[in-house]
């Protein structure tokens, strides 16, 4: 059978990262792939790792060559690739587990020659994400080139038939080699489609061939060689002026280093099209005037874009441009903080849904609130009628602030996550930020991994739940389940079951759901639908089942809250038989329960987890075995309005108990740390 995707991985001395890369490939949800690894004369144990994995997975093919560089290695992979599409992964990077399934399904749905997705850049545990539009199709060369965020082939797949028919290869012995391949592939493709449901993780390390920037002369040579090859292609294809201009724009952003243009040899050997372009040739240099009028009066950016240059009657004044990031940080330090203010901090790109609940507890106790968030707040305060300050900072900025003594202007620093998820592992916040400061009172931390609560015993820690029923931990429970002024809704005529969370086996048993839907339909039970909120896709489903499932993808909080309000029942899909779910029986907590409590949505839950999280037949629907989910879903579908409201009433009583316990525990904790 022909593979759907051929994945080409050049390997050169990346043994330190190679297993991580290969694990992400062999665990892909799309199984019909071939994995072509080219060992480019590695002197470490990369080849041994490749052979080890080739024994484990017969989809892995190994080629070997003397060290000739990434381009030669990739070209050899292209020669033997047999897949319908071709993808590239660097051996020190990794991909989401649904990566190739999402790209391939998008290609099939839109008959695409090229599909591109989100790109995550990681350097020193700092993360920067470039997001693309969801399922958007681009057809003109201008539009396709205009949306390229970088000059890499790795966040895309390409139709093999086009690559081979047009003999598109990587240029050898230069840097920036992806760019020429990319431009030619984009030119010959009928369309390019984007999907934001998966990510490529680009790991920057100083040992990587793509980071060998000590060789300045080779970089300069590469710039000259590559731009000449590009414009040879432009002339051969007789591109329009519009397309040439969009190419120039791409070149100036993607790989022209302005400093190199100060080298006369570089300038003299560039293609004529670039030499004639004043904007490009003036990159990195001072201000340039196009006519006499501009010398009389003009306002321009300097070549390095660090200054504004105002010219009046030939006299120029240089004013340093305001740095937006520095302005935000300056504003953070200068703004006045009210007495008794808690700064709630989230350093991860997750767990934000618990912020509102903790915020509510502090407000009930008379505190003021500010939020300090890594990245975007994703409209988290959409259901709150309040002027709470939200500071959206980058991880490096957040770290600097939290190591500064001036942070003591806050009464309490409340960390919504004690464990920080970095590409190199899960770190306690004290290791992530070694010189972590505290407010006027002792810091408080939320521990989402109960098994790690004793790592730093002197820390004041909260937990969301106590699945092991350890009496010592009861005093730490402060459960957040408030989401603002949400609507508590009646049951719909067409019963709406909702699942929230990534479509991954370690989170939910989606196979159980699919099997149950099939059984319901075979019994002519059709008055229901399933809403799934979260990243990922389900494998090819029969049309009758697919029509019952609406996968919304990852949503911001406003849209997720709307979906929760519109739902009737919540499906946690936790399975005590799955190894990955056993952590929820001992030391893990699931965000599903916060949503169940906050929106008063009765859940359909396995008896094992019902016992652990204190759900009963009064407030939930409980099944003894996985096979029992069918009968329980049928019962939910048949439930009348009065029965549904009765469930919500008991669930509300359960929630009130949790809220009173949580508030009581937080009061005690604040009393203990009050200095």
């Amino acid at each position: 059978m022909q593979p759907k995707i051929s994945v080409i991985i050049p390997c050169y001395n990346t043994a330190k990262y190679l297993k991580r890369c290969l694990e992400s490939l062999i665990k892909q949800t799309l199984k019909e792939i071939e994995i072509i690894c080219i060992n480019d004369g590695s002197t470490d144990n990369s080849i041994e790792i490749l052979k080890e994995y080739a024994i484990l997975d017969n989809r892995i093919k190994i080629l070997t060559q003397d060290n000739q560089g990434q381009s030669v290695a990739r070209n050899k992979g292209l020669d033997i690739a047999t897949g319908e599409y071709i993808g590239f992964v660097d051996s020190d990077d990794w991909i989401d587990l649904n990566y190739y399934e999402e790209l391939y399904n998008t290609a099939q749905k839109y008959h695409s020659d090229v599909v591109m997705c989100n790109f995550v850049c990681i350097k020193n545990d700092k993360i920067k994400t470039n997001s693309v539009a969801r399922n958007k199709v681009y057809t003109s060369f201008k539009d396709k080139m205009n949306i390229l965020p970088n000059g890499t082939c790795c966040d895309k797949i390409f139709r093999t038939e086009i690559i081979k028919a047009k003999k598109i290869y990587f240029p050898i012995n230069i840097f920036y080699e992806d760019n020429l391949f990319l431009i030619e592939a984009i030119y010959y493709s009928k369309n390019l489609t984007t999907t934001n449901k998966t990510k490529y993780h680009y790991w920057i390390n100083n040992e990587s061939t793509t980071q060998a920037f000590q060789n300045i002369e080779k970089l300069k040579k590469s710039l000259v060689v590559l731009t000449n090859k590009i414009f040879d292609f432009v002339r051969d294809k007789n591109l329009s002026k519009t397309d040439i201009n969009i190419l120039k724009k791409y070149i100036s952003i993607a790989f022209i280093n302005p400093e190199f243009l100060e080298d006369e040899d570089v300038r003299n050997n560039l293609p004529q099209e670039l030499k004639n372009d004043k904007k490009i040739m003036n990159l990195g240099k001072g201000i340039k005037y196009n006519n006499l009028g501009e010398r009389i009066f003009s306002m321009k950016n300097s070549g390095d874009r660090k200054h504004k240059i105002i010219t009046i009657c030939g006299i120029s004044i240089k004013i340093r441009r305001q740095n937006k990031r520095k302005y935000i940080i300056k504003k953070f330090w200068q703004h006045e903080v009210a007495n008794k203010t808690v700064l709630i901090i989230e350093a991860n790109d997750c767990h934000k849904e618990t912020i509102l609940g903790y915020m509510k507890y502090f407000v009930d106790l008379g505190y003021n609130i500010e939020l300090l968030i890594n990245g975007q707040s994703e409209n988290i305060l959409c259901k709150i009628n309040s002027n709470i300050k939200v500071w959206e900072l980058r991880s490096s900025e957040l770290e600097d602030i939290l190591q500064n003594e001036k942070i003591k202007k806050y009464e309490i620093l409340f960390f919504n996550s004690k464990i920080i998820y970095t590409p190199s592992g899960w770190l306690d916040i004290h290791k992530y930020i070694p010189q972590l400061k505290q407010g006027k009172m002792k810091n408080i931390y939320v521990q989402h991994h109960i098994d790690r609560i004793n790592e730093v015993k002197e820390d004041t820690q909260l937990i969301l739940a106590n699945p092991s029923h350890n009496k010592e931990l009861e005093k730490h429970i402060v459960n957040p389940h408030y989401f603002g002024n949400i609507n508590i809704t009646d049951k719909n005529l067409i019963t709406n079951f909702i699942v929230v969370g990534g479509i991954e086996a370690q989170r939910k048993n989606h196979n159980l759901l699919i099997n149950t839907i099939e059984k319901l339909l075979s019994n002519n039970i059709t008055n229901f639908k399933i809403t799934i909120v979260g990243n990922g896709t389900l494998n090819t489903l029969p049309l009758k089942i697919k029509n019952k499932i609406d996968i919304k993808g990852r949503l911001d909080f406003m849209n997720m809250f709307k979906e929760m309000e519109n739902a009737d029942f919540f499906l946690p899909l936790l399975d005590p038989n799955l190894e990955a779910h056993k952590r929820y029986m001992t030391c893990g907590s699931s965000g599903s329960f916060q949503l169940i409590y906050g929106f008063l949505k009765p859940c359909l839950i396995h008896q094992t987890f019902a016992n652990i999280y204190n759900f009963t037949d009064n407030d939930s629907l409980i099944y003894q075995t996985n096979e029992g989910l069918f009968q329980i879903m049928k019962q939910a579908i048949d439930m009348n309005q009065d029965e549904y409201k009765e469930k919500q009433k008991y669930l509300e009583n359960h929630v009130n108990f949790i809220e009173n316990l949580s508030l009581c525990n937080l009061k005690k904790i604040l009393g203990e740390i009050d200095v």
Side-chain angles (χ1 to χ4, degrees), residues 13 50 65-66 87 160 166 178 182 192 226 310 339 394 451 472 485 496 513 520 524 557 620 652 660 665:
N13 288 350
L50 291 175
Q65 63 179 36
D66 294 335
T160 307
K166 300 301 180 181
D178 283 33
L182 193 54
L192 180 153
L226 182 61
I310 302 173
N339 290 331
R394 296 170 180 168
D451 52 330
E472 287 296 312
N485 302 315
N496 185 3
L513 175 61
L520 287 167
N524 295 320
F557 285 101
S620 310
E652 187 174 16
N660 291 333
N665 283 344

Side-chain angles (χ1 to χ4, degrees), residues 390-506:
V390 181
W391 305 95
E392 298 177 338
L393 298 179
R394 296 170 180 168
S395 56
S396 57
E397 296 165 343
L398 188 145
E399 291 167 43
D400 290 342
I401 282 173
L402 294 175
Q403 295 181 95
N404 193 313
E405 287 288 348
K406 290 190 286 186
I407 201 71
K408 285 186 179 292
K409 64 181 182 177
Y410 291 96
E411 190 86 4
I412 297 172
L413 302 186
F414 183 92
F415 291 85
N416 196 51
S417 298
K418 191 170 195 298
I419 304 300
I420 310 303
Y421 308 132
T422 77
S424 54
W426 295 3
L427 301 179
D428 186 273
I429 195 161
H430 293 292
K431 292 182 180 178
Y432 184 70
I433 308 177
Q435 303 299 319
L436 185 66
K437 304 302 181 184
Q438 64 181 50
K440 296 174 186 175
M441 295 165 63
K442 195 173 179 181
N443 295 346
I444 301 177
Y445 307 88
V446 179
Q447 181 55 271
H448 294 268
H449 303 272
I450 302 170
D451 52 330
R452 299 182 67 164
I453 198 166
N454 291 320
E455 282 186 12
V456 186
K457 291 185 178 180
E458 61 270 24
D459 280 348
T460 301
Q461 299 179 66
L462 310 181
I463 59 176
L464 278 70
N466 182 16
S468 63
H469 293 284
N470 182 334
K471 288 187 178 180
E472 287 296 312
L473 296 179
E474 287 294 315
K475 62 184 180 183
H476 294 278
I477 298 175
V478 180
N479 183 279
H481 50 264
Y482 173 78
F483 299 101
N485 302 315
I486 55 109
N487 298 313
I488 304 301
T489 53
D490 293 340
K491 186 173 182 284
N492 294 297
L493 293 175
I494 303 296
T495 305
N496 185 3
F497 298 93
I498 193 166
V499 182
V500 179
I503 303 176
E504 303 168 10
Q506 64 262 36

Side-chain angles (χ1 to χ4, degrees), residues 597-612:
Y597 300 149
F599 288 84
L600 293 185
K601 300 299 177 185
C603 65
L604 282 62
I605 188 167
H606 192 285
Q607 181 73 65
T608 301
F609 295 98
N611 293 341
I612 291 169

Side-chain angles (χ1 to χ4, degrees), residues 325-337:
R325 304 307 310 171
K326 288 182 180 178
Y327 171 75
I328 293 171
I329 294 169
K330 183 179 179 181
K331 189 175 179 183
F332 175 84
W333 287 125
Q334 290 182 345
H335 86 284
E336 187 175 340
V337 176

Side-chain angles (χ1 to χ4, degrees), residues 289 294-298 309-317:
Y289 301 100
E294 288 186 354
R295 290 187 177 274
I296 296 172
F297 178 80
S298 65
I309 297 179
I310 302 173
T311 301
I312 304 174
C313 296
I315 299 173
S316 297
I317 304 168

